[in-house]
Amino acid sequence: MAPTSSRWSRSQEIGGRTLGRPYGQNTAHSIAFNRGKRSIALDLTKPRGLEVARMLMKQSDVVIEAFRPGVMAKYGLAYEDAKAANPGIIYLSINGFGSRGPNAMLPVTDAVIQAFSGLMTVARSSDGVPNRLTMIPVDVVTGLYAFQSVATALVRKFRFGTGSHIEASLMQAAAAFQAAKIMEYHLEGGEPQPLYSPVATMRTSDGYLNVTAMREQHFVALCEVIGRPEVAADPVYQGRELRIKNEASLLAILRTEFAKQPTAHWAEKLTAAGVMNAPVQTYGDFLDHPQTKALSAVEYVEHPGVGTIAVAQIPGTPPVASQPVSRSRSPLIGEHTAEILDEIGFDEAEIRAMRADESIAVQ
């Protein structure tokens, strides 16, 4: 449900699916995060559109809104309004900086919160410049934390009959996601240490390889694989703390050796020696890998108006291939408006009237 500005006849005016390259009404992000849902499009500035929203709120177990603080209250759809009509309602408010404080009304994107929360400082480039993770991790983890909270609230509701108002801000989610790093920063009075060393991406003669030597035996085996056993015996690198302290010189030695051979050479030898490693793959490499295929971690389905899409399997859910087509596609904006209105008691004449005065949009 969302207030709109003008006419419903042009789809670009009834939705904001603009995150990434568009495929008709969809983007990859809208498909990934809206697949399996139904879509109703209402104009909350119209009395009948607002009436529908209130009816849906009255009949729902959960209401989710993602406006800036105060917008839902403007339309008489705030938690207090929902609770008055539906005492057991679970009401989830998703926002940027939370509902109070000096930043509460500021606009937010994933990148803004990556910068604000300190997340960019753990993704520095070689010249020390903090970088944005070029996806939307904060948006995603906010949704996951919100789901966790709502699932718990539903159990409480079904057991005790009580509803609740839950607030999930991107800022809070980003902090929770980085809880250990923030704790380390506070305890150490500054920049937190690496967890261990060496753990780094090595440039090989034909690509890149991540190498992770967590424990003493891994470090010894790593040094033997690269033909430098004396490095493991050097007092400068004895134990976790000294390897972290002298990480710069240690990585310089390792990188010199790894540059001499291709990725496959090192991966084979390190794996045989029990040292954890992984070639740095592209998404294409990941999709083609036998392990990905063995688990059906990504399945391919047809999406109307888009074509064949690669759908990553969500852990713990039924395989994508076993689900109806409607569960693997994203709806058009307003695709199910008439269907939902019929379910909650509106007849065809009322739906036509709402469509005529642009209170609703129907695909």
Side-chain angles (χ1 to χ4, degrees):
M1 300 181 294
T4 62
S5 55
S6 53
R7 297 189 59 81
W8 291 98
S9 57
R10 295 165 59 188
S11 62
Q12 64 267 33
E13 293 183 354
I14 61 171
R17 293 177 172 177
T18 58
L19 190 60
R21 180 179 178 180
Y23 304 93
Q25 271 199 21
N26 282 293
T27 68
H29 286 84
S30 74
I31 296 172
F33 300 117
N34 290 323
R35 61 188 180 91
K37 298 178 183 178
R38 294 194 296 172
S39 173
I40 180 171
L42 308 174
D43 187 341
L44 300 185
T45 66
K46 302 289 179 63
R48 284 194 284 196
L50 194 54
E51 176 192 357
V52 173
R54 287 173 175 157
M55 288 182 66
L56 288 168
M57 184 173 282
K58 187 173 182 178
Q59 298 179 32
S60 298
D61 289 311
V62 180
V63 169
I64 302 172
E65 62 93 3
F67 293 105
R68 292 191 199 180
V71 171
M72 290 293 273
K74 173 183 175 183
Y75 293 97
L77 299 174
Y79 171 63
E80 292 75 15
D81 304 305
K83 184 179 179 182
N86 183 353
I89 193 73
I90 296 166
Y91 191 104
L92 171 65
S93 297
I94 297 178
N95 50 46
F97 283 106
S99 59
R100 59 187 183 276
N103 288 12
M105 300 307 293
L106 294 179
V108 162
T109 65
D110 190 285
V112 167
I113 297 297
Q114 284 193 46
F116 183 87
S117 68
L119 181 58
M120 289 189 184
T121 65
V122 299
R124 296 182 188 274
S125 55
S126 57
D127 59 2
V129 176
N131 287 303
R132 175 178 70 92
L133 301 180
T134 56
M135 53 178 297
I136 52 169
V138 178
D139 286 350
V140 174
V141 299
T142 301
L144 294 175
Y145 285 129
F147 173 79
Q148 172 182 282
S149 298
V150 168
T152 302
L154 278 169
V155 172
R156 187 167 55 245
K157 171 186 169 70
F158 296 148
R159 184 170 181 182
F160 302 111
T162 58
S164 55
H165 183 196
I166 301 166
E167 181 175 276
S169 72
L170 272 69
M171 185 192 77
Q172 290 171 309
F177 182 54
Q178 301 174 86
K181 283 296 180 186
I182 292 173
M183 191 179 299
E184 284 181 340
Y185 183 94
H186 173 74
L187 290 172
E188 296 174 19
E191 203 71 25
Q193 282 189 343
L195 295 177
Y196 42 81
S197 183
V199 52
T201 300
M202 303 294 175
R203 183 192 291 272
T204 66
S205 64
D206 66 349
Y208 295 91
L209 180 75
N210 175 266
V211 179
T212 298
M214 290 183 63
R215 297 184 173 88
E216 210 65 34
Q217 66 267 31
H218 299 142
F219 179 58
V220 172
L222 167 61
C223 293
E224 290 175 350
V225 165
I226 65 171
R228 297 291 302 273
E230 76 281 3
V231 175
D234 191 328
V236 172
Y237 305 122
Q238 294 300 300
R240 172 187 175 275
E241 294 299 324
L242 285 175
R243 284 196 292 277
I244 290 173
K245 179 181 178 181
N246 299 300
E247 184 177 53
S249 63
L250 175 57
L251 292 181
I253 294 169
L254 298 178
R255 287 185 167 128
T256 297
E257 300 303 326
F258 273 97
K260 296 175 180 178
Q261 297 288 347
T263 299
H265 168 88
W266 293 122
E268 181 181 357
K269 287 187 173 297
L270 289 169
T271 299
V275 180
M276 289 180 285
N277 70 93
V280 177
Q281 300 192 131
T282 65
Y283 287 133
D285 297 328
F286 175 77
L287 292 172
D288 290 338
H289 199 281
Q291 182 63 33
T292 306
K293 294 178 179 179
L295 291 184
S296 298
V298 177
E299 296 189 22
Y300 297 85
V301 299
E302 292 299 311
H303 193 291
V306 181
T308 304
I309 59 173
V311 180
Q313 175 69 37
I314 299 174
T317 60
V320 173
S322 71
Q323 300 182 43
V325 173
S326 61
R327 297 291 295 167
S328 61
R329 57 164 293 230
S330 173
L332 300 174
I333 299 170
E335 180 176 347
H336 303 97
T337 299
E339 177 183 312
I340 294 170
L341 290 175
D342 176 70
E343 290 176 4
I344 63 175
F346 289 92
D347 61 30
E348 289 187 19
E350 291 172 307
I351 294 172
R352 283 198 300 271
M354 284 190 280
R355 188 172 185 178
D357 74 3
E358 299 179 335
S359 295
I360 64 172
V362 180
Q363 290 290 335

